[in-house]
Amino acid sequence: MSFMEAFCSPGVLCQILLGLSRTVILFIVASGLSLILGVLRIPNIAHGSLYMIGAFMAYTVSRVFGGGTLGYWMAVLLAPLGVALVSFIIERGIFSRLYEREHIMLFLLTFSFVLVFGDLVKLVWGAEYRSVSMPGFFQGSIRILGLPFPIYNFILLLVGPIVAVVLWLLVNKTKIGKISRAAAVDREMVGAVGINVSLVFCIVFVIGCFLAGLGGALVSPIVNVVLGMDHTLIMEAFLIVIIGGLGNIWGALLGALIFGLTQSLGILVWPQFGIVFPYAAVIVVLSIRPTGLLRSTW
Amino acid sequence: MKKAAIMGMSIVLLGFLGVPFSFGAATIKVGFVDTYSGPPSVYTFDVLDGFKMAIQTINEKGGVLGKKIEFTTRDEKFKPDVGLAMAKELVMKEEVDILAGTINSSATLAVSDFAKREKIPFICTFAKSEKITGEMGHRYVFSVAENTRMIGKATAQMIAKKPYTKFWVAGEDYEYGHAVGEASWRYTKAVKPEAQLLGQTWWKVGEADLAPYISPILQAKPDMLFMGTGGVGNLNFLKLAKAMDLMKQVGIILHTSIELSNLQALGQDGPEGVMGTVNYLFYYPGTPENKAFVDEFRKLYNRPPKVGALYGYAAAQLIARAYQKAGAVDREKFITAMEGLTVDSPVGKLEMRACDHQLMLPMFFGVTKKSPQYEYLIAGDTVTIPGKDYLPTCDEILKVRK
Amino acid sequence: MGGKRSIIILLGVAILFAFLPFGLPRFYTYLTALIVVTGLLSTSLNFALGFGGIFQFHHAVFYGAGAYGAAVMIAKLNYNPWLAFIAGPLVAAALSLIIGIICIRLSKLYFGMLQISLGSLVWVIVYRWYSFTGGDDGIHGISVPSIISSSKGAYYFTMVTAGLAMFFMYRILHSPFGSTLQGIRDNVLRSQAIGVSVRRHQLAAIVIAGFFAGVAGVLFVVVDNSVFPDMMFWTLSLEITIMALLGGWFTFLGPMLGAAMVVLLRTFVSAYTEYWTLALGILLMLVILFLPEGVLGKVFEIWNRRGLTEDRG
């Protein structure tokens, strides 16, 4: 359909809402990435792998509790905690020893985790397609302007703002939030006033990875839980963080909005190259503001 | 810098020594290159299991020409480049007698091209692009799986009777997706001149978030959707079809939608009312040979056979019979023996057509529906279309090969 | 002194490589050619990264550009393959010039990130342009001239071309330009203070690196007769960085050695297990933790300490 036809049709609202539901997942994952990047200064490429582990853990937990409604809720609760545990282990075990190294080494170290996690997931869960079932009342679709809109996508639209609010409270209203914001700006100073910086880093890292796991668990009923789901997602998450402003969580939200909306509207206008639009948008943003839209903590 | 050269050479030499050689014994070696990881593996393991089941019986009876048939596998991870690399390894390092595989049409074409240059027989055991035995067909490639030309013709035959005139083609942007979607349209248009193609939508392979693509299609209000998806793409689409209840808004036909691999993965959440075609159903037809096949498979592997099992089984039978007929493990004699060869199968006698090296399989058409007997949906309103009734003619094939 | 010995050793190596296809099965000819192509790619990356200090985070794009440039010209536009082989590296060089100009005004990390963004844009366009680039399938069965289409032919063509490419890169690095480049890597401010145009040198380095990556891409087409979108994916960019790191990125031949190690590891380990990526990941972790100068770098350090290098006689 032509550009104008596509843009003025009732399907646009559906398309925008679909884009926003994608934004929610991207935001949850990217905010975790941004948090880690901002406070610990680690570009954690393994973040996508943790997202994938979250999705696979959701599958297992859901199976353990017999699938269906109970399985789903237990999965969304326990899988992110499982991922948080994994991240705790690797942070204490390996990362905490290397904070003084150069960025590029840390970057490559996180890449080694991408390789390791990729195969570990294959070892533990096998190479098959996995599916997580959702509760009965999340299935099916509602009608928006005459077009069917999947209910689960609608649920995601509700979850997004909740996560955003909780994050905002965490970062701005809690003590740990304030300390980590200070540590992001000047870690030496924070250490000098007697705060255990290492502990702060650990907590922030675990929370960031929890968010990745949460994203994976939430998305597991509607995408393919397969090996390789980490590779494209981490690229998108990184670009979002870059255009949002390194370390800025609200930048991650803005970036996720840009990404999700340009993609779904792009599909409407030019389905073949729909997924190219977000990348083009990234270039446009970086040409105007190379350091990102919002203030970065770097 | 010279130290570097010495060091480098030593490490490289050590590495070469480390790579293991393998010596061919007095056996017939079949090299399978296929996707054994990820979603497509659920199909390909059946190919292997069907093959294994057949050669077990053959080897127990003494093998072929006094030699046992053995096989080795390599995982292409659904990537054409890896598939080609693996095929090269199988031929150049493992020194297999025959190549077999794969489920990825593009990989199959790449391997087929390689087989042509190497002059080694290659049996396609799953991929369905019509180019395999059509445009890019040649002396050294055979197929025991249906191809998209066949699917298109069968689809058109069934759709011709329905009152649909407005069509839309949608699917994944790769060789198989385009081939099956476009063939369905092409042959439908040929039998129904008044048919209109309202549009086409292609998304990237494996895309899971299909709602943004399907929503605009519904807006255009086509009568029927020709789906060009494969593997996990089938599942992604079928899940969405259920969630959006698409079957009530538009007719859908998707090749293999009635196949066990897909329906089993969806369980009770599968969508009812989706039309589809497939070359094997374990519960239809209830002929003695099909029942015997299913029972034997179940005993060995504790599960009912999927369509891949038929391909693997047929391939094994063909290989054994052809070498027997050829009288020697010779590539050229093998090929000549294959042409026109007939083998027994759970779906009746199957002929390997000489003009294009395509196995003449029957096609089954059905509509998905719930079943009280199984935990997954099955095909209802099943219709059998015999091979000779819907395969493209030899003339058609010779014309496209020019 | 060292000069004559170097030449004799190089000659020995050259003879070894010349006779390799006759001594070993065909598979190893193919494998060696593949290693050399990958090593050339990694060396070209290191030209910018190790010697130029440039945050070349998405180098694989130029490799893919060279390969796709040649592939599309042969398979889709029906040009003479020899023309396509020359066009490939030129396409890569042009792309690196464009990307370089856009990114050069930023420094270090931001440069790297913008390059990743631009590179990803190129990748996604190639990935979705099914009718022109074959999309997810890639392009296969690309016809190359019959002299170089056999395993041996492709092997010799690769060795000669790669050898020349390595030679040229080596000469450039040991020229005044190369010294200036390394000076910029070590201390930007001081270089600027003595009047060096930092940006122009870095841009030139990026274009040279991109050009030779394009050469590697064309050689891959000769060896494998195919191209696919993964050649431009970020994971490949990181893999070749790993190769450079493994082998030693402050040395010229380090990346080639690293490439040999990774490709052999992949082939060797894959024969026993499907978890070779795990092995690579662990190897990388160990190298980062214990051997950050890379294998070759560590070896040189040991030799230096023991006085085994030429300088100490």
Side-chain angles (χ1 to χ4, degrees):
Chain A
M1 54 169 67
S2 82
F3 185 90
M4 283 317 289
E5 271 172 21
F7 239 75
C8 301
S9 57
V12 177
L13 179 63
C14 259
Q15 212 70 354
I16 291 177
L17 291 175
L18 287 170
L20 288 175
S21 59
R22 173 129 185 85
T23 294
V24 166
I25 300 291
L26 288 172
F27 166 63
I28 293 175
V29 176
S31 62
L33 183 65
S34 209
L35 202 61
I36 296 174
L37 193 62
V39 177
L40 283 82
R41 298 275 198 275
I42 299 178
N44 183 21
I45 326 178
H47 209 70
S49 313
L50 292 162
Y51 159 85
M52 177 171 72
I53 293 176
F56 274 96
M57 280 190 178
Y59 162 78
T60 302
V61 173
S62 161
R63 287 278 295 234
V64 162
F65 286 94
T69 308
L70 178 66
Y72 173 78
W73 289 113
M74 293 310 289
V76 172
L77 192 67
L78 295 178
L81 289 173
V83 172
L85 182 65
V86 169
S87 64
F88 178 76
I89 295 171
I90 64 175
E91 198 273 341
R92 286 287 96 178
I94 300 181
F95 279 110
S96 52
R97 303 173 201 285
L98 298 169
Y99 286 141
E100 297 314 309
R101 299 286 292 272
E102 304 155 22
H103 291 310
I104 200 162
M105 287 302 189
L106 284 171
F107 185 65
L108 289 173
L109 186 69
T110 59
F111 183 61
S112 68
F113 273 106
V114 173
L115 299 173
V116 169
F117 280 145
D119 264 4
L120 282 179
V121 168
K122 186 158 79 162
L123 221 128
V124 172
W125 279 281
E128 284 179 24
Y129 163 92
R130 301 290 175 195
S131 185
V132 176
S133 50
M134 55 175 110
F137 40 87
F138 284 175
Q139 295 177 12
S141 47
I142 52 176
R143 292 255 152 186
I144 296 185
L145 293 183
L147 290 168
F149 188 84
I151 294 181
Y152 195 77
N153 289 63
F154 197 73
I155 301 293
L156 287 176
L157 287 176
L158 300 173
V159 166
I162 297 176
V163 171
V165 167
V166 169
L167 262 179
W168 182 83
L169 289 171
L170 193 69
V171 167
N172 289 318
K173 297 293 178 190
T174 63
K175 191 159 163 212
I176 188 72
K178 292 180 188 163
I179 296 174
S180 36
R181 275 189 296 143
V185 175
D186 193 334
R187 65 175 76 165
E188 276 164 17
M189 201 53 212
V190 168
V193 301
I195 294 175
N196 185 348
V197 177
S198 176
L199 183 64
V200 171
F201 278 9
C202 183
I203 294 176
V204 170
F205 188 79
V206 170
I207 292 178
C209 294
F210 174 88
L211 286 166
L214 181 64
L218 283 174
V219 88
S220 61
I222 56 171
V223 294
N224 307 307
V225 180
V226 285
L227 300 169
M229 65 193 291
D230 51 340
H231 287 183
T232 20
L233 184 94
I234 189 62
M235 181 168 48
E236 299 177 341
F238 245 105
L239 291 175
I240 287 172
V241 164
I242 291 172
I243 60 173
L246 296 174
N248 191 318
I249 298 183
W250 311 115
L253 180 58
L254 198 53
L257 274 167
I258 293 176
F259 228 84
L261 288 173
T262 50
Q263 180 163 326
S264 66
L265 289 174
I267 291 171
L268 191 62
V269 166
W270 199 357
Q272 170 91 9
F273 287 100
I275 62 171
V276 173
F277 284 76
Y279 292 87
V282 166
I283 307 294
V284 167
V285 168
L286 288 180
S287 313
I288 308 171
R289 286 181 69 99
T291 50
L293 289 166
L294 300 181
R295 200 187 53 215
S296 93
T297 59
W298 280 50
Chain B
M1 199 190 118
K2 59 186 187 212
K3 305 282 195 301
I6 299 177
M7 268 248 11
M9 282 311 303
S10 333
I11 293 187
V12 168
L13 275 168
L14 278 170
F16 271 141
L17 292 171
V19 182
F21 281 87
S22 62
F23 300 99
T27 58
I28 294 175
K29 227 172 168 188
V30 180
F32 277 92
V33 55
D34 218 331
T35 303
Y36 296 115
S37 54
S41 59
V42 92
Y43 301 94
T44 55
F45 283 132
D46 261 52
V47 173
L48 272 184
D49 287 342
F51 186 84
K52 277 194 288 192
M53 186 167 100
I55 64 171
Q56 200 172 43
T57 320
I58 295 170
N59 285 342
E60 268 164 21
K61 295 197 184 136
V64 178
L65 305 173
K67 298 178 204 260
K68 297 226 186 296
I69 302 180
E70 63 171 38
F71 69 95
T72 180
T73 63
R74 291 289 184 277
D75 185 3
E76 63 167 13
K77 306 186 205 288
F78 210 66
K79 287 184 186 191
D81 50 287
V82 179
L84 184 59
M86 292 296 141
K88 286 184 176 167
E89 196 199 312
L90 284 172
V91 173
M92 298 200 266
K93 191 153 89 67
E94 294 290 324
E95 294 173 345
V96 298
D97 296 300
I98 303 179
L99 277 173
T102 113
I103 190 172
N104 181 312
S105 285
S106 186
T108 303
L109 287 168
V111 173
S112 173
D113 176 73
F114 171 68
K116 180 166 78 171
R117 283 184 281 130
E118 288 290 312
K119 295 198 166 46
I120 182 170
F122 169 51
I123 301 183
C124 164
T125 52
F126 209 106
K128 308 183 193 306
S129 166
E130 61 206 40
K131 294 201 182 116
I132 297 170
T133 50
E135 289 88 328
M136 318 281 277
H138 52 83
R139 180 175 163 75
Y140 298 90
V141 66
F142 297 85
S143 178
V144 294
E146 74 282 22
N147 65 57
T148 48
R149 220 172 233 115
M150 289 159 66
I151 301 168
K153 264 197 151 177
T155 303
Q157 262 187 27
M158 299 309 302
I159 300 301
K161 308 168 190 165
K162 311 238 184 242
Y164 304 131
T165 53
K166 291 187 284 184
F167 299 89
W168 195 286
V169 173
E172 292 171 293
D173 220 350
Y174 72 132
E175 174 64 44
Y176 170 68
H178 278 273
V180 77
E182 283 156 18
S184 306
W185 161 247
R186 218 181 328 133
Y187 284 104
T188 302
K189 176 78 178 175
V191 300
K192 224 187 232 247
E194 69 274 22
Q196 281 177 286
L197 185 65
L198 297 182
Q200 294 188 39
T201 304
W202 299 101
W203 50 81
K204 74 174 209 257
V205 177
E207 176 70 75
D209 197 7
L210 291 176
Y213 292 95
I214 301 299
S215 202
I217 296 177
L218 290 175
Q219 276 228 287
K221 297 202 196 330
D223 294 324
M224 168 137 241
L225 208 50
F226 286 134
M227 292 309 298
T229 51
V232 83
N234 288 333
L235 293 168
N236 295 340
F237 176 74
L238 290 171
K239 273 175 130 183
L240 188 74
K242 178 78 194 273
M244 288 171 112
D245 209 8
L246 291 179
M247 294 67 66
K248 293 232 170 56
Q249 299 160 67
V250 63
I252 301 174
I253 186 158
L254 191 157
H255 181 62
T256 70
S257 64
I258 52 172
E259 212 271 307
L260 183 61
S261 335
N262 291 319
L263 293 176
Q264 199 170 45
L266 294 167
Q268 293 288 12
D269 290 337
E272 285 188 288
V274 176
M275 290 177 259
T277 42
V278 75
N279 292 100
Y280 183 72
L281 294 164
F282 77 89
Y283 45 85
Y284 179 91
T287 54
E289 51 265 23
N290 196 10
K291 286 211 177 94
F293 180 77
V294 175
D295 287 339
E296 200 191 332
F297 196 89
R298 265 207 158 106
K299 230 192 324 186
L300 272 175
Y301 304 113
N302 215 0
R303 65 177 202 271
K306 307 186 180 89
V307 71
L310 174 66
Y311 302 144
Y313 187 84
Q317 303 289 15
L318 282 164
I319 291 174
R321 278 257 179 107
Y323 275 126
Q324 201 75 51
K325 192 165 143 197
V329 181
D330 174 83
R331 292 177 182 181
E332 301 297 324
K333 289 195 179 136
F334 172 81
I335 291 171
T336 313
M338 280 279 267
E339 293 174 343
L341 192 59
T342 313
V343 291
D344 292 315
S345 82
V347 293
K349 282 211 184 299
L350 298 173
E351 182 192 325
M352 172 58 76
R353 196 159 73 170
C355 71
D356 59 351
H357 293 186
Q358 173 68 52
L359 192 63
M360 299 176 71
L361 299 150
M363 186 74 85
F364 303 104
F365 171 89
V367 185
T368 56
K369 73 164 201 252
K370 284 207 164 89
S371 159
Q373 229 189 322
Y374 301 104
E375 286 180 346
Y376 37 80
L377 276 66
I378 59 166
D381 308 334
T382 19
V383 175
T384 308
I385 316 174
K388 55 180 173 46
D389 285 349
Y390 75 99
L391 245 75
T393 61
C394 279
D395 288 332
E396 268 182 78
I397 302 297
L398 287 171
K399 237 197 301 187
V400 293
R401 278 204 192 171
K402 287 235 176 9
Chain C
M1 198 196 98
K4 230 189 217 166
R5 262 197 286 165
S6 291
I7 294 183
I8 294 179
I9 290 186
L10 274 172
L11 216 61
V13 169
I15 293 176
L16 194 75
F17 277 124
F19 284 100
L20 191 139
F22 295 97
L24 291 173
R26 229 155 31 108
F27 179 70
Y28 296 102
T29 310
Y30 168 69
L31 191 65
T32 313
L34 202 64
I35 290 176
V36 168
V37 171
T38 316
L40 175 64
L41 174 63
S42 195
T43 309
S44 71
L45 164 71
N46 206 32
F47 187 94
L49 183 70
F51 289 98
I54 298 167
F55 280 49
Q56 188 85 332
F57 281 171
H58 210 337
H59 194 65
V61 171
F62 308 119
Y63 172 63
Y68 267 93
V72 166
M73 278 183 76
I74 299 175
K76 303 268 178 183
L77 303 172
N78 292 310
Y79 275 80
N80 181 326
W82 295 109
L83 275 173
F85 293 159
I86 298 174
L90 292 175
V91 169
L95 187 66
S96 41
L97 182 63
I98 297 172
I99 291 184
I101 290 177
I102 299 176
C103 298
I104 202 74
R105 48 202 180 99
L106 303 173
S107 63
K108 294 205 151 205
L109 193 66
Y110 292 100
F111 170 91
M113 297 193 307
L114 188 55
Q115 193 182 77
I116 290 179
S117 314
L118 286 164
S120 302
L121 179 65
V122 173
W123 166 79
V124 80
I125 291 176
V126 166
Y127 182 61
R128 295 299 295 130
W129 203 347
Y130 182 75
S131 50
F132 191 58
T133 63
D136 191 56
D137 292 336
I139 306 175
H140 299 275
I142 304 170
S143 51
V144 292
S146 38
I147 323 172
I148 56 174
S149 63
S150 67
S151 294
K152 287 208 180 70
Y155 172 83
Y156 285 119
F157 183 72
T158 303
M159 298 311 273
V160 169
T161 313
L164 283 170
M166 295 289 283
F167 174 72
F168 281 127
M169 274 195 277
Y170 185 77
R171 294 295 298 147
I172 296 174
L173 282 173
H174 283 74
S175 71
F177 172 81
S179 311
T180 316
L181 191 67
Q182 290 175 71
I184 294 176
R185 173 195 68 196
D186 293 332
N187 199 321
V188 176
L189 290 172
R190 209 182 279 174
S191 306
Q192 276 177 327
I194 59 171
V196 165
S197 164
V198 169
R199 285 214 184 146
R200 233 183 277 165
H201 276 81
Q202 286 182 326
L203 193 58
I206 294 168
V207 173
I208 294 173
F211 176 81
F212 285 110
V215 172
V218 165
L219 288 176
F220 183 82
V221 172
V222 170
V223 172
D224 214 63
N225 309 124
S226 54
V227 289
F228 37 88
D230 267 5
M231 292 172 84
M232 292 185 167
F233 202 54
W234 64 268
T235 44
L236 182 64
S237 286
L238 278 179
E239 269 176 39
I240 52 185
T241 311
I242 293 175
M243 292 173 192
L245 177 67
L246 263 177
W249 54 8
F250 286 113
T251 67
F252 182 70
L253 282 178
M256 179 67 78
L257 180 63
M261 287 166 63
V262 171
V263 175
L264 284 171
L265 182 77
R266 184 168 65 209
T267 317
F268 178 55
V269 175
S270 300
Y272 294 112
T273 166
E274 46 183 297
Y275 301 111
W276 92 271
T277 324
L278 180 68
L280 181 66
I282 294 178
L283 178 67
L284 178 64
M285 245 185 254
L286 292 173
V287 169
I288 291 176
L289 290 172
F290 302 118
L291 215 59
E293 319 88 3
V295 171
L296 210 57
K298 192 75 188 173
V299 166
F300 279 165
E301 194 193 298
I302 297 174
W303 276 338
N304 263 325
R305 263 190 269 135
R306 296 190 188 166
L308 288 177
T309 53
E310 298 152 29
D311 304 326
R312 299 275 197 103

